Amino acid sequence: MTSTASPFPADESSQAYHLRRKRELSSLYATARSLTALGELDDVLRSIVRHAHGLIGTDFTYLSLLGPDNALSVRASEGTISADFLAAGIPPGTGLGGQVIERRKPIWVSNYLVADELNHVHEFDELVAREGLVALLGVPLLVRGQAVGALFAADRSERSFSSEEIALFSAFADHAAIALDNARLYDESRTALEKLQAAYRVIEEHVATIERSQAVHEALTDVVLTGGGPKDVARHLADQMGGSVIFLGRDNALLASAGVDQTLHDSDSPAWPGIEQALEGARRTGRCMTQQDASATTHSVAVVQAGESYLGALVWSQPASPSPADLRMLERATHIVALMILKENAVADAAERLSGELMTELLVNSPHVSAAQRARTRARGIDVDALNLLVVADSTTVATVELSRQLHAYAQNHAGLAGEYLGRATMLLHAENADEAVADGHRAIRRQLDRDVNLIGEHVQDRDWARAFATASRCLDLALALGKTDHGATTSDYALYSLLFAPDRINELDRFISATLGPLLTYDAQRSTDLVTTAVTYFANRGSLAQTARALRVHLNTLLKRLDRIDSVLGDGWRGPEALDVQLALRMHQLRVSVGV
C-alpha cells in the first residue's frame, strides 16, 4: 500500500494536535541543527537513526545505504533488531527499499509479507518473518536529486502510517540527507587533507634528505679540496649520516673509522663476519649492499671505484634499516671519495716520478752533481752529498713498479730518493750504519708488501752511485742464485763473490774455469749432454751415489755411467779429496750462468 493522506485522529482535539506538531517540528529543527554539527560519517549515520527513532516512535528504525552494486545494506539501527537482519542486503529493485530507491518517494505497507505490490525475495522474507517485522515505512535519502539510501521505520504489529508521520519522517530524511552529504564531503576533505599532509611529509623528508645529501657532498668536497684523508672522510660521513663509518683501502685493510668503539677495530679488518659477501656483491653489482649481523645492526657497503679499478669501500653501520635515499647518499659519497683517492694517487705518482727522475740523473752523471741537481734535491729537503747508501730490491712475486713505489714511500720518510733504474727498484739514502739501515728497510717493505723481498745495500764513496749500483746489482743476482729470497744485507756479505765477479777480473775467472772444466764444458756442448750438472749434484750430495741419483731422478746404473764418462774427460782425480779447484770451478760456473756474467 502506498502513502495517502490521513485525517486527524478522532480522539485528538485541534489544540492538542497543534501542540504535538509544534513539539515535533521543534524536535525536527533541533535535530537538524545537531546533525549539521557532526563531521564523521558513522557518527552522522548513528545520530540520524537515533533521532528518527525518537521522532517516529516505532519498534525499531534503521538506515541503509546503496553500495557499489546498488544493493542496500544496513549501516545504522536503533531499537531491538537481530544481527542477521542487520547483516542482510537488499538486491536492487526488490522489497520496499528497492521501490523507494527507484521511485524516490516515501512508501509504506501495513503488512510487509502480504504486500503483493512488492518484489519479494525469499531469503529476506524469511528474515522479516523471524524478526516479526509487519508494518514498514521507507523514505529516500536524496542528495542533489539522486537516491543514496533509505531511512526505515518498522513496527511488529500491523498499522497504518499517517500523512503527518510520513511528512515528518520525510522532512527528517531531507535534513539527514544533507547531513549525510556533508559527512561524505567531510570524509573526502579529510582524506584529501590526509593525503596532502602525507605528501607534505614526503616533501619535507625529501627536502631534508636533499639538504643532508648536499651537506655530505659539501663536506667531502671540502676534504678533497683541502687535502684531507681517510680519517676526515669517515668523520664527516659519521657526523652527517649518524651511526658509524669505516673506510677500507684497496686491499680491504682498515684505513680509518669514526663513530665506532676502537675495540671493534683492533684487527686490520672490521669485526663483521658477513663483510666479505657484502663486498663481493657490491663489487659485482656496483650498488650498495646491506646486511644485518647477529646483533641486528645494519651494515651498508658501497665500493669506491674509478672505472674498473677497485679503490676501497665505505661501510656504514647503524641500528635502523637505511632508507633508499640514505643508500643513494652513501653511493654518491663514494664518487667524491674516488676523486680524493685519484687525486692522492696522482700527487703520489708525480712525486714518485720526480724522485725517480732525479735519482736517475744522479746515477747517470755520478760522481758529478750539477748546480740544478743540487737545487732540486735541496728543494725536496735532501742533502745530495749525504746520500751514502744505495739499495736495490727484487722479489719473485712483486713487480718492479710496486717495489719502486714501496721504496719511494720509505725514502720519503728518510730524506732519500727512489725509483726504477735500468729495470731495477733502486733507492738512495743517508745512513750512519749501512747494515742497520738495510735491515730496517727490509722489515718495513716486507711488512707493507707481505711478500718475500731481497734488499742489498752498498756503501757509496765520493758520490759514485753508478759503481755502487753495479756492485749491489751483482750481489743481488748472486743472492738469488744462492737461494736467498727474503733478506736484507749489504754487499759485504757477498765480498768474495763480488770480488770474483768484478768486471776488471772477469778474464781471470774465465781462465780459471776453462783450465779446470774446459774439456767437460766442450764435451757437453758438442754432444748436448749435461755432465756439468751431474758433477755439481754429486758434490752437493757429498758424493753419495744414492742421493745423487735421486736428486737427478735417474737410475743408479745411469749415474755410474755418467760418472765414468766424467772420469774419462777430467781424469780420475776430479772427485778426490784434493779436487777443491774442480768444486770451486763448478760453483763459479754455476753462479756465473745464474747471474748472466
Side-chain angles (χ1 to χ4, degrees):
M1 177 182 295
T2 58
S3 60
T4 58
S6 299
F8 296 146
D11 58 348
E12 186 176 21
S13 65
S14 175
Q15 184 178 5
Y17 168 76
H18 287 296
L19 288 174
R20 178 173 60 81
R21 290 291 291 164
K22 183 178 180 180
R23 287 195 301 270
E24 289 175 346
L25 291 175
S26 298
S27 177
L28 175 63
Y29 291 122
T31 300
R33 286 196 301 272
S34 66
L35 288 177
T36 58
L38 297 174
E40 298 286 346
L41 178 60
D42 290 338
D43 292 341
V44 169
L45 295 177
R46 286 191 294 268
S47 181
I48 290 172
V49 174
R50 185 172 63 252
H51 286 90
H53 186 69
L55 285 175
I56 202 67
T58 53
D59 290 331
F60 58 91
T61 307
Y62 62 95
L63 183 149
S64 297
L65 294 181
L66 285 176
D69 56 354
N70 288 324
L72 283 170
S73 59
V74 178
R75 293 291 300 272
S77 65
E78 191 74 17
T80 305
I81 187 170
S82 67
D84 290 340
F85 188 89
L86 292 175
I90 306 298
T94 62
L96 186 137
Q99 289 201 13
V100 169
I101 295 298
E102 287 182 356
R103 298 169 64 179
R104 289 180 292 178
K105 59 184 297 186
I107 298 176
W108 64 268
V109 293
S110 59
N111 192 324
Y112 182 88
L113 292 178
V114 299
D116 295 333
E117 67 271 24
L118 300 180
N119 184 12
H120 288 270
V121 178
H122 177 69
E123 292 79 5
F124 187 71
D125 284 356
E126 288 183 345
L127 288 174
V128 168
R130 289 202 301 269
E131 190 66 31
L133 184 152
V134 180
L136 181 63
L137 167 64
V139 295
L141 298 174
L142 300 176
V143 175
R144 290 180 289 277
Q146 296 295 322
V148 298
L151 185 63
F152 298 96
D155 266 327
R156 290 188 172 90
S157 60
E158 189 170 331
R159 59 160 288 187
S160 299
F161 290 91
S162 67
S163 59
E164 287 81 3
E165 289 178 316
I166 296 170
L168 179 64
F169 210 51
S170 297
F172 184 83
D174 291 339
H175 288 292
I178 295 172
L180 181 62
D181 190 39
N182 289 340
R184 283 182 168 176
L185 293 175
Y186 174 79
D187 273 359
E188 292 175 0
S189 300
R190 186 183 61 179
T191 301
L193 179 60
E194 290 175 350
K195 291 181 179 179
L196 182 62
Q197 289 174 337
Y200 184 71
R201 285 194 296 271
V202 170
I203 293 173
E204 282 186 325
E205 293 172 359
H206 185 61
V207 170
T209 300
I210 292 176
E211 291 177 348
R212 192 153 59 107
S213 179
Q214 183 177 358
V216 170
H217 188 276
E218 290 177 353
L220 294 183
T221 301
D222 185 65
V223 170
V224 174
L225 296 178
T226 58
K231 291 183 178 179
D232 300 301
V233 170
R235 177 173 55 81
H236 281 299
L237 283 175
D239 290 344
Q240 297 294 335
M241 301 181 67
S244 62
V245 175
I246 60 175
F247 190 169
L248 304 179
R250 67 175 69 235
D251 55 355
N252 292 333
L254 182 65
L255 296 182
S257 61
V260 292
D261 294 334
Q262 192 60 38
T263 54
L264 292 177
H265 303 294
D266 292 336
S267 61
D268 290 336
S269 62
W272 169 35
I275 191 170
E276 291 81 7
Q277 293 82 356
L279 280 169
E280 181 182 352
R283 292 187 64 174
R284 184 179 63 255
T285 62
R287 301 304 303 270
C288 190
M289 300 296 291
T290 298
Q291 290 185 358
Q292 272 194 344
D293 61 18
S295 65
T297 299
T298 302
H299 305 276
S300 302
V301 179
V303 296
V304 181
Q305 290 190 160
E308 297 298 324
S309 300
Y310 175 70
L311 304 177
L314 295 175
V315 181
W316 177 40
S317 303
Q318 59 168 348
S321 297
S323 67
D326 288 331
L327 297 182
R328 289 194 297 272
M329 191 186 311
L330 187 63
E331 289 174 350
R332 285 194 291 268
T334 63
H335 301 162
I336 304 297
V337 174
L339 291 176
M340 181 195 74
I341 295 175
L342 291 176
K343 175 190 172 185
E344 291 178 346
N345 291 345
V347 172
D349 289 343
E352 182 180 337
R353 184 177 63 256
L354 293 174
S355 175
E357 290 174 354
L358 182 53
M359 183 198 71
T360 298
E361 291 181 17
L362 293 179
L363 265 69
V364 169
N365 297 325
S366 66
H368 175 70
V369 180
S370 68
Q373 290 167 346
R374 286 187 180 278
R376 289 167 61 193
T377 53
R378 191 182 307 113
R380 301 175 69 90
I382 299 171
D383 181 1
V384 67
D385 295 315
L387 299 177
N388 62 350
L389 177 64
L390 184 139
V391 179
V392 291
D394 201 352
S395 173
T396 58
T397 58
V398 181
T400 302
V401 172
E402 181 61 24
L403 275 177
S404 299
R405 183 173 291 112
Q406 295 298 329
L407 289 180
H408 172 71
Y410 184 84
Q412 276 189 313
N413 297 325
H414 294 80
L417 298 170
E420 186 175 336
Y421 181 68
L422 297 181
R424 176 149 278 168
T426 308
M427 177 169 60
L428 289 177
L429 299 173
H430 169 73
E432 298 293 339
N433 186 305
D435 291 306
E436 292 180 1
V438 175
D440 179 72
H442 174 259
R443 284 192 299 269
I445 294 171
R446 175 69 169 78
R447 183 171 57 251
Q448 288 296 322
L449 292 173
D450 195 23
R451 298 285 192 280
D452 291 348
V453 61
N454 278 338
L455 262 68
I456 300 295
E458 167 68 359
H459 179 69
V460 180
Q461 293 182 338
D462 300 324
R463 299 191 301 275
D464 195 354
W465 299 295
R467 184 203 63 80
F469 175 81
T471 303
S473 293
R474 283 199 307 274
C475 289
L476 182 57
D477 291 333
L478 285 169
L480 293 172
L482 293 170
K484 303 288 188 180
T485 59
D486 188 26
H487 83 311
T490 59
T491 57
S492 61
D493 293 354
Y494 301 90
L496 173 61
Y497 297 107
S498 180
L499 179 63
L500 290 174
F501 287 101
D504 56 350
R505 304 197 63 179
I506 197 68
N507 292 333
E508 296 178 19
L509 180 61
D510 285 340
R511 286 194 293 272
F512 170 68
I513 292 176
S514 179
T516 308
L517 300 179
L520 191 60
L521 294 172
T522 302
Y523 186 93
D524 280 345
Q526 293 176 349
R527 292 170 175 78
S528 298
T529 57
D530 196 9
L531 296 180
V532 170
T533 299
T534 300
V536 170
T537 307
Y538 175 79
F539 284 121
N541 287 278
R542 300 180 182 180
S544 171
L545 296 178
Q547 292 180 10
T548 303
R550 282 195 297 271
L552 293 172
R553 296 182 179 180
V554 298
H555 194 272
L556 183 60
N557 291 335
T558 302
L559 175 62
L560 291 175
K561 290 178 181 179
R562 291 183 182 180
L563 293 177
D564 289 342
R565 195 170 295 117
I566 296 174
D567 289 344
S568 64
V569 175
L570 294 181
D572 296 341
W574 73 273
R575 46 178 166 163
E578 298 180 358
L580 179 61
D581 56 343
V582 177
Q583 295 186 43
L584 183 59
L586 286 169
R587 185 59 169 155
M588 292 299 103
H589 172 70
Q590 185 184 32
L591 290 175
R592 186 173 66 172
V593 171
S594 298
V595 300
V597 177

